[in-house]
Amino acid sequence: MERSGGQATINDVARLAGVSKKTVSRVINRSALLGEETRRRVEQVIAELGYVPNPQARALALRRNFLIALVHDNPNAQTVMNVQQGLLEGVAGSEFELVVRPVRRGSPTMLDDLRAFIERQRPFGVLLMPPVGDLPPVVDLCRALGCRHVRMSAVAGDPASTVASNDREAVRHAVSYLVEQGHRRIGHVAGPDGFLSAAERRAGFEEAVAAAELALPRSWIAQGSYTFESGQEAGERLLDLSPRPTAIFCANDEMAAGLVHAARARGLDVPRDLSVIGFDDTPIAAHLWPPLTTVRWPSISMARTAALKLIGGEQEVEEPSRFLSTLIRRASVAPPPAD
Amino acid sequence: MERSGGQATINDVARLAGVSKKTVSRVINRSALLGEETRRRVEQVIAELGYVPNPQARALALRRNFLIALVHDNPNAQTVMNVQQGLLEGVAGSEFELVVRPVRRGSPTMLDDLRAFIERQRPFGVLLMPPVGDLPPVVDLCRALGCRHVRMSAVAGDPASTVASNDREAVRHAVSYLVEQGHRRIGHVAGPDGFLSAAERRAGFEEAVAAAELALPRSWIAQGSYTFESGQEAGERLLDLSPRPTAIFCANDEMAAGLVHAARARGLDVPRDLSVIGFDDTPIAAHLWPPLTTVRWPSISMARTAALKLIGGEQEVEEPSRFLSTLIRRASVAPPPAD
DNA sequence: TTGTATGCGTTATCAC
DNA sequence: GTGATAACGCATACAA
């Protein structure tokens, strides 16, 4: 039932309904002051024509568009997908669409690329995934450009523009759990510099170790880059030590998987000879052998809330801005071997 | 150097450069007929003002927008990310943006949702990821709506609207490799109904087995749903058989991972007691223990080509529309155990 | 309650 | 080569 020339417009509706464009506009926008009879007639015509308002035109007239952008540096596919899902849940039922914009942290042109994107596209708002959102220049850029933004981060910040997880505390709990199991020599595979999450997780680790009054030789902390391979290498360094740690907390699951490989390669059994805890609860954690004890952070609901903060008015900032992670206990942790 | 009232517009440029809007428009669109001197002057003002054309207004005037949509049903996070990356590579340097639109295959409202999305947003084109693109009603919908579309699929189709991998052939090679290793009892964990990829992979499996003149009892094929758990269950059924297969080809890596778990749970060693091959070469394949032999299909370049088909004119359909998968040999395959 | 005139930022038409 | 002027589809201000 469409017009031959393509999509029906507000003019077609107005003409066929015998009213003015403005009246149609009122129907669309659910204006209160409208004759019941008129509204019904217009709605009838809209239905007949299959009329749908043109978002481009709306955007132009309203001087704002209905795009929210996900800016990320793809540390992990599943996490990005979770965030996309959360954002879409947050904007579901609204007229907003999600556009994705990967950037390369470290690229010298990243800031220029981002600026060009924002200036061109003028998204209504952007979500800055870690670690991009932890980069002050990026946040400054958004501010300078007058672009609404919400950061996902491992540390709390301005509630209006931040949704944060409690990585440090969650790691403290995880490491305390190792202590409860009887471990006294606990190592750590840390994440890369530049990641706030890595710093927080390391801080949580050190706090828990200190609280338990355990020794922590410098060599028990090995740095990785959040990749499987770096976890493998860090694991080799850690497992070469003598005495070696009986438990290792890894700053993410990928590195934990690498560590488990390294352990297996030298004939160590997890968890009999070595307990391992990861972070993120990506699918790899549950599918590893043995299934990996790990920390799950609520990426989906964080993203959902971020979307609401982005598109909601000021009032909706009532949403929580701090999200709690939980320890998922699987089979990769056991008491330490008897010496 | 921006106007106080916000973003500079074409009017500001025209005024400051002392030319008409149309002339500025000509500069932006690199019109050939333009005075060298005029062009320079306008470009100077554009640079000073930091002027950027408004895509919304462009879209309205041109009666077309610059959005391409990725429609998917998220079978696997890494694959979706690969496709996003490929699409973005394909549109890099252009003014196109990527919007993501997950749908739920199986939901009774899927078609309506998709229709509403296309009618509202009027994307310039959509990429249909498998299995969505393999659903005839979806393709018909796009056609009926006059929406450009390209399907990613496991079988060839109209080159203008299809990029295809050669799953069947790739699986034949993979299974032949098992035969070469000496296996005579080869099982299969098949993918779910409704997935063309699952059907193709199964067909490739059966063809290879037939070509080697091997027996193939019905019970050596177990169906899964592309998930880890379903692979585990299928594995249990297959490994209960007596005699049991000495090698199993799984229609994707997730199920292969589940199968390996099932094997390990009953004390079988991979690859000593059981050889396993997966499909997709997702990260889990390389990180499994043992590292999984699998088939890699070029999702990124397929998506890149799809993007070019989408945004390119008719001439650019010269791009290949059939992509070759390759067998990645890792440690999960070995000769069968001596009986 | 409804209509008219005007603007949003860009491109297209067709003069000059 | 360049510039008025009218679209594009919708929303707002202000009348009526």
Side-chain angles (χ1 to χ4, degrees):
Chain A
M1 196 55 74
E2 291 171 12
R3 227 179 27 155
S4 56
Q7 185 71 4
T9 78
I10 199 173
N11 286 307
D12 302 323
V13 177
R15 186 156 27 78
L16 265 72
V19 297
S20 75
K21 296 188 337 184
K22 179 55 196 170
T23 300
V24 179
S25 178
R26 285 201 178 90
V27 174
I28 296 170
N29 298 304
R30 316 196 176 293
S31 163
L33 3 99
L34 248 180
E36 198 44 47
E37 163 61 20
T38 315
R39 146 165 293 140
R40 245 200 309 280
R41 187 154 35 103
V42 171
E43 277 172 347
Q44 166 103 25
V45 175
I46 287 180
E48 278 174 7
L49 250 40
Y51 164 72
V52 183
N54 179 328
Q56 324 287 336
R58 264 172 76 74
L60 186 56
L62 289 169
R63 272 177 294 275
R64 69 201 269 287
N65 68 20
F66 296 90
L67 267 24
I68 75 171
L70 168 60
V71 174
H72 72 85
D73 189 14
N74 189 7
N76 175 272
Q78 187 61 52
T79 303
V80 176
M81 289 306 300
N82 285 352
V83 170
Q84 290 187 5
Q85 180 185 335
L87 287 174
L88 286 161
E89 287 178 11
V91 303
S94 76
E95 45 195 337
F96 284 91
E97 296 294 337
L98 175 62
V99 347
V100 296
R101 166 58 59 172
V103 299
R104 287 200 332 242
R105 164 190 90 268
S107 159
T109 64
M110 182 196 55
L111 276 182
D112 290 336
D113 293 345
L114 198 52
R115 165 186 288 272
F117 168 69
I118 294 179
E119 286 186 334
R120 263 212 332 277
Q121 208 58 33
R122 308 226 141 266
F124 181 79
V126 304
L127 177 76
L128 275 12
M129 262 187 80
V132 185
D134 291 327
L135 269 29
V138 171
V139 178
D140 293 342
L141 179 64
C142 290
R143 237 188 291 277
L145 260 33
C147 179
R148 305 176 70 128
H149 57 279
V150 168
R151 316 174 321 118
M152 293 180 70
S153 180
V155 296
D158 169 25
S161 66
T162 312
V163 289
S165 52
N166 63 337
D167 291 27
R168 187 189 294 222
E169 188 184 350
V171 171
R172 272 206 312 264
H173 287 322
V175 175
S176 300
Y177 170 60
L178 291 173
V179 173
E180 288 165 20
Q181 296 292 308
H183 292 277
R184 290 291 171 269
R185 296 196 305 275
I186 308 180
H188 177 42
V189 178
D193 292 333
F195 280 67
L196 224 49
S197 60
E200 283 296 298
R201 292 168 196 180
R202 176 174 182 156
F205 169 77
E206 290 175 344
E207 288 172 11
V209 167
E213 300 182 345
L214 301 180
L216 182 52
R218 190 76 186 164
S219 59
W220 288 6
I221 299 186
Q223 189 167 35
S225 56
Y226 275 167
T227 66
F228 179 88
E229 287 73 17
S230 73
Q232 226 168 347
E233 291 161 13
E236 279 158 14
R237 292 202 297 279
L238 256 26
L239 299 177
D240 270 345
L241 297 175
S242 176
R244 63 162 183 266
T246 60
I248 296 178
F249 165 69
C250 299
N252 76 348
D253 289 344
E254 291 281 317
M255 295 195 297
L259 168 66
V260 170
H261 263 230
R264 195 190 322 266
R266 49 188 70 198
L268 297 176
D269 181 83
V270 176
R272 200 193 56 213
D273 306 315
L274 178 72
S275 290
V276 178
I277 295 186
F279 200 109
D280 280 345
D281 195 28
T282 48
I284 197 176
H287 300 165
L288 214 58
W289 189 272
L292 185 69
T293 294
T294 187
V295 178
R296 176 189 297 164
W297 60 286
S299 48
I300 298 181
S301 48
M302 281 175 68
R304 189 190 315 116
T305 297
L308 294 177
K309 289 191 189 236
L310 237 23
I311 71 178
E314 303 304 326
Q315 78 288 359
E316 230 146 339
V317 182
E318 309 303 335
E319 290 288 331
S321 51
R322 188 93 204 208
F323 292 81
L324 303 186
S325 307
T326 52
L327 183 67
I328 308 294
R329 301 181 189 199
R330 299 208 180 89
S332 65
V333 173
D339 269 326
Chain B
M1 196 56 75
E2 290 171 12
R3 228 180 26 157
S4 55
Q7 185 70 2
T9 78
I10 200 172
N11 287 307
D12 303 321
V13 178
R15 185 157 26 79
L16 264 74
V19 298
S20 75
K21 299 191 330 187
K22 182 56 192 170
T23 300
V24 178
S25 177
R26 286 200 178 92
V27 174
I28 297 170
N29 298 303
R30 317 195 176 292
S31 164
L33 3 100
L34 248 180
E36 199 46 45
E37 164 60 20
T38 316
R39 147 166 291 139
R40 247 201 308 279
R41 187 153 36 101
V42 172
E43 277 172 347
Q44 167 104 23
V45 175
I46 288 180
E48 279 175 7
L49 250 41
Y51 164 73
V52 184
N54 179 328
Q56 324 287 334
R58 262 172 77 74
L60 184 57
L62 290 169
R63 272 177 293 276
R64 73 205 264 297
N65 69 20
F66 295 91
L67 266 26
I68 75 171
L70 168 59
V71 174
H72 72 85
D73 189 14
N74 188 7
N76 175 273
Q78 185 62 52
T79 303
V80 176
M81 290 305 300
N82 285 351
V83 170
Q84 290 188 5
Q85 178 186 334
L87 287 174
L88 286 161
E89 287 178 10
V91 303
S94 76
E95 45 196 337
F96 283 91
E97 296 294 336
L98 174 62
V99 347
V100 296
R101 165 60 59 173
V103 298
R104 286 200 333 242
R105 164 189 90 267
S107 159
T109 64
M110 181 194 61
L111 277 181
D112 289 336
D113 294 344
L114 198 52
R115 166 187 287 273
F117 168 69
I118 293 179
E119 285 185 335
R120 264 213 330 278
Q121 207 58 34
R122 307 228 141 264
F124 182 80
V126 305
L127 177 77
L128 274 13
M129 262 187 82
V132 185
D134 291 327
L135 268 30
V138 170
V139 178
D140 292 344
L141 179 65
C142 290
R143 236 189 291 276
L145 261 32
C147 179
R148 305 176 68 129
H149 56 279
V150 168
R151 316 176 317 119
M152 292 179 72
S153 181
V155 297
D158 169 24
S161 67
T162 313
V163 289
S165 52
N166 63 336
D167 291 28
R168 186 188 295 221
E169 188 185 349
V171 171
R172 272 205 312 264
H173 287 323
V175 176
S176 299
Y177 170 60
L178 291 173
V179 173
E180 288 165 19
Q181 296 291 309
H183 292 278
R184 290 291 172 271
R185 298 196 302 274
I186 308 180
H188 177 42
V189 179
D193 291 333
F195 280 67
L196 225 47
S197 60
E200 284 295 299
R201 293 168 197 181
R202 177 174 181 155
F205 170 78
E206 290 176 343
E207 288 172 11
V209 167
E213 299 183 343
L214 302 181
L216 181 52
R218 190 75 186 165
S219 57
W220 289 6
I221 297 185
Q223 189 167 35
S225 56
Y226 275 167
T227 66
F228 179 90
E229 288 72 18
S230 73
Q232 225 168 347
E233 291 162 13
E236 279 157 14
R237 293 201 296 280
L238 256 25
L239 299 177
D240 269 346
L241 298 174
S242 177
R244 63 162 182 265
T246 60
I248 296 178
F249 165 69
C250 298
N252 76 349
D253 289 344
E254 291 281 316
M255 294 195 297
L259 169 65
V260 170
H261 263 229
R264 195 189 323 266
R266 49 187 70 197
L268 297 175
D269 180 83
V270 176
R272 199 193 57 213
D273 306 314
L274 179 72
S275 290
V276 178
I277 294 185
F279 200 109
D280 279 345
D281 194 28
T282 48
I284 197 177
H287 300 165
L288 212 60
W289 188 273
L292 185 68
T293 294
T294 187
V295 178
R296 174 188 297 163
W297 59 287
S299 49
I300 298 180
S301 49
M302 281 175 67
R304 189 191 313 118
T305 297
L308 294 177
K309 290 191 190 234
L310 237 23
I311 71 178
E314 304 304 326
Q315 77 288 357
E316 231 146 339
V317 183
E318 308 304 335
E319 290 289 330
S321 50
R322 189 95 206 208
F323 292 79
L324 303 186
S325 307
T326 52
L327 183 66
I328 307 293
R329 303 182 186 197
R330 298 207 181 90
S332 66
V333 173
D339 267 327

